[in-house]
Amino acid sequence: MKHYSVPRLMTKLLLPLILLFALYVQFHGDFGPGGGFQAGVIFAAGFILHALIYGLDQTQRLLPPWVLRIGVSLGVLIYASVGVAGMLLGGAYLDYGVLDSHDPMHGQHLGILLVELGVGITVASVMVTIFYSFAGRGR
Amino acid sequence: MVTAVAAVRLRDLFAVVMLFGIYSLVSASLFVVMDAVDVAFTEASVGAGVATVFMLGTLSLTTHREKTPIARKPLLSLLVVIITGAALMYGTYDIPHYGDANDPIHHHVAPHYLEDSMEEIGIPNVVSSVLASYRGYDTLGETTVVFTAAIGVLILIGGARRRSKRDDERS
């Protein structure tokens, strides 16, 4: 892909938009369609596009595999620890209402935001990890 | 439907992968028609987008021609398929009509979710509130499944590559 300047330039233009859209889907999931899962996949798709156009090495310099390994477990950890935090504050596991002592609804908001963030981080890291493994295998 | 049949008949795996992508996109638009925007979103991004790229990645590791199957008598398998298909079709007669207000599904917990979600969770998108709050355990399980998938791929593919590199250094 080194000699195709149009796809390279278009990728440069599209990539920030894709990542921004992923973040929008992530944090706007409460109000419109979307959520952590879709956002994670879109986020991963941005990096996969980068890898397809610029080559795997460039992308791995941008987003090293060890970051992804951490991300894969960090997302599940965030999700599970939100549940544990609810338990410590005197509620049931994954009961977000107790996260805010004044208004249970705020607690719910916070809980859903954190949980979706965890899902997003895990899904994005997993998708890019799988892509790295498959794409790096042939070499 | 047409793409599914074509995908089964074709021998060129590259075309099959592309047809599956189209199939995914068509089902995504079908979900939009049925007002399930969240599901359509997921189907379009995962099924038509990332899964197709993964399939292509797999194809680049193997060949893109399917092996011609060994000819054997298809009668028994045909019989099994017909019986299973007939049983499934017989089962569909008990399914309530689409959008029927008397469905059991509309009388269990769904009204509670739809009516009280705004007071209890305070989020306009009911899908999100059901997914993340009412059914939090399920979503935690799903996330763990995705996590396990990554671990599996890393063990199967990522690990083997590193070992071969180590062998290279040794030799």
Side-chain angles (χ1 to χ4, degrees):
Chain A
M1 274 287 175
K2 264 184 192 131
H3 306 293
Y4 296 94
S5 45
V6 174
R8 289 171 73 91
L9 193 67
M10 282 315 289
T11 308
K12 232 172 221 172
L13 284 177
L14 276 176
L15 197 60
L17 292 180
I18 293 175
L19 297 187
L20 193 66
F21 182 62
L23 290 177
Y24 166 75
V25 170
Q26 170 83 51
F27 294 111
H28 204 256
D30 300 357
F31 306 99
F37 201 85
Q38 293 93 329
V41 171
I42 294 171
F43 207 77
F47 283 101
I48 290 175
L49 174 71
H50 187 275
L52 287 178
I53 301 294
Y54 290 97
L56 195 62
D57 294 325
Q58 293 286 332
T59 315
Q60 283 191 337
R61 202 180 302 161
L62 200 69
L63 191 69
W66 62 267
V67 173
L68 294 174
R69 306 251 165 105
I70 293 174
V72 166
S73 8
L74 184 70
V76 182
L77 194 67
I78 289 177
Y79 201 135
S81 48
V82 168
V84 174
M87 266 170 93
L88 290 179
L89 291 171
Y93 187 66
L94 289 178
D95 179 11
Y96 315 131
V98 291
L99 288 179
D100 191 312
S101 48
H102 307 293
D103 189 355
M105 214 185 265
H106 286 172
Q108 290 281 357
H109 279 237
L110 185 67
I112 289 178
L113 192 77
L114 286 173
V115 157
E116 293 275 16
L117 186 68
V119 174
I121 291 175
T122 293
V123 169
S125 321
V126 165
M127 294 298 164
V128 182
T129 301
I130 295 178
F131 179 75
Y132 276 2
S133 322
F134 273 89
R137 177 78 172 159
R139 298 180 303 171
Chain B
M1 185 70 189
V2 173
T3 51
V5 172
V8 172
R9 294 297 304 173
L10 271 176
R11 286 275 170 265
D12 187 353
L13 291 178
F14 183 75
V16 170
V17 169
M18 284 301 148
L19 279 172
F20 270 126
I22 296 170
Y23 179 73
S24 245
L25 206 59
V26 171
S27 8
S29 43
L30 203 67
F31 289 139
V32 173
V33 172
M34 293 167 97
D35 280 344
V37 195
D38 280 87
V39 186
F41 206 163
T42 316
E43 179 70 37
S45 56
V46 179
V50 176
T52 312
V53 174
F54 287 165
M55 296 277 228
L56 289 178
T58 319
L59 279 190
S60 72
L61 298 180
T62 58
T63 60
H64 68 99
R65 299 292 303 178
E66 192 177 346
K67 279 183 193 155
T68 36
I70 314 149
R72 57 172 101 81
K73 282 179 190 165
L75 261 178
L76 182 67
S77 23
L78 187 68
L79 197 71
V80 170
V81 167
I82 287 177
I83 290 175
T84 318
L88 286 176
M89 275 183 181
Y90 177 70
T92 57
Y93 284 115
D94 282 343
I95 295 179
H97 290 291
Y98 177 70
D100 188 356
N102 295 321
D103 278 4
I105 189 175
H106 294 316
H107 288 281
H108 186 45
V109 285
H112 169 70
Y113 288 165
L114 287 176
E115 285 158 14
D116 302 338
S117 169
M118 209 54 202
E119 284 98 59
E120 286 181 8
I121 316 281
I123 279 180
N125 187 0
V126 184
V127 177
S128 280
S129 72
V130 169
L131 203 74
S133 188
Y134 289 119
R135 290 271 179 253
Y137 281 113
D138 290 0
T139 312
L140 179 61
E142 278 162 29
T143 316
T144 318
V145 166
V146 174
F147 171 73
T148 319
I151 301 295
V153 167
L154 278 180
I155 289 173
L156 282 175
I157 298 182
R161 194 173 143 228
R162 209 173 307 134
R163 197 183 308 135
S164 67
K165 204 186 279 173
R166 213 179 296 146
D167 286 351
D168 289 349
E169 282 164 11
R170 218 178 282 153
S171 61

